[in-house]
Amino acid sequence: MSENTRLINIDGMTCQSCVKNIENNVGKMNGISSIKVSLEQKQATVIFDTSQTNVAAIVEKINDMGFDAEEEKPSSEAPETLTLYIEGMTCTSCAQKIEASCQNLAGIKQISVSYPTKMATILYIPTNPPDIPFILELIKQIGFRATLSRLTPKITTAKIKISG
């Protein structure tokens, strides 16, 4: 199994119902591990198994739903991922509050916060990195505790199954 993370630009969304509709329908496709759609950024972050589906099929599914979707073209410099562990969230509204507070900060290309995993994933361009101490303090000021989880150099996700 080979997982890949891709950004898909989506035009035509007008409300959170559009977001949920895309997340629910694409999330049901074979091979989709995760999809997070941002209305504000007009973008989806999709993690999928490349042996079961591909970006073209995901884009086609979103287009078939009446939206205008296309894979984000890679910039000359690949984004890097910063992962934060966040304590104190009690619901998805908490995750949305963190996203709304951080999404327009300098250096952040995209932020996706997951309440179930208590993780925030921040995509940024290395030549314009975000101010990490400022982000940690901002999250603290809105009532949560964030700690740096890991810094990974690629937009690639791997799942590891440990037995025994």
Side-chain angles (χ1 to χ4, degrees):
M1 179 166 97
S2 176
E3 285 202 332
N4 200 343
T5 301
R6 295 293 175 93
L7 299 176
I8 298 174
N9 296 320
I10 307 171
D11 283 325
M13 297 185 296
T14 58
C15 63
Q16 287 299 321
S17 290
C18 296
V19 169
K20 292 299 176 196
N21 190 21
I22 294 168
E23 287 178 343
N24 289 336
N25 283 290
V26 173
K28 292 177 184 173
M29 291 175 63
N30 286 336
I32 301 295
S33 299
S34 169
I35 178 168
K36 176 70 174 166
V37 178
S38 170
L39 177 63
E40 295 80 16
Q41 294 176 347
K42 298 181 180 180
Q43 199 169 58
T45 302
V46 185
I47 301 172
F48 60 95
D49 181 345
T50 57
S51 68
Q52 294 185 35
T53 192
N54 57 51
V55 177
I58 297 166
V59 167
E60 182 180 352
K61 178 74 167 180
I62 296 169
N63 286 334
D64 288 348
M65 295 170 60
F67 302 99
D68 185 20
E70 66 179 12
E71 179 182 5
E72 180 171 273
K73 303 298 179 222
S75 66
S76 58
E77 189 169 4
E80 291 192 7
T81 303
L82 171 70
T83 306
L84 303 177
Y85 176 73
I86 301 177
E87 296 176 83
M89 292 190 294
T90 58
C91 62
T92 56
S93 293
C94 295
Q96 291 169 350
K97 183 176 183 179
I98 295 167
E99 286 177 352
S101 297
C102 297
Q103 69 187 1
N104 293 320
L105 294 177
I108 294 181
K109 183 168 177 54
Q110 183 172 17
I111 180 168
S112 177
V113 180
S114 171
Y115 162 65
T117 64
K118 311 290 190 225
M119 302 297 275
T121 303
I122 299 172
L123 295 180
Y124 68 95
I125 302 298
T127 55
N128 184 27
D131 183 345
I132 297 169
F134 179 80
I135 294 169
L136 297 175
E137 182 60 30
L138 176 63
I139 292 171
K140 181 180 177 182
Q141 288 177 6
I142 59 175
F144 308 98
R145 181 172 180 266
T147 53
L148 191 58
S149 179
R150 65 181 164 216
L151 191 60
T152 53
K154 297 180 182 174
I155 303 181
T156 304
T157 307
K159 284 189 177 181
I160 301 172
K161 184 176 181 180
I162 301 174
S163 305

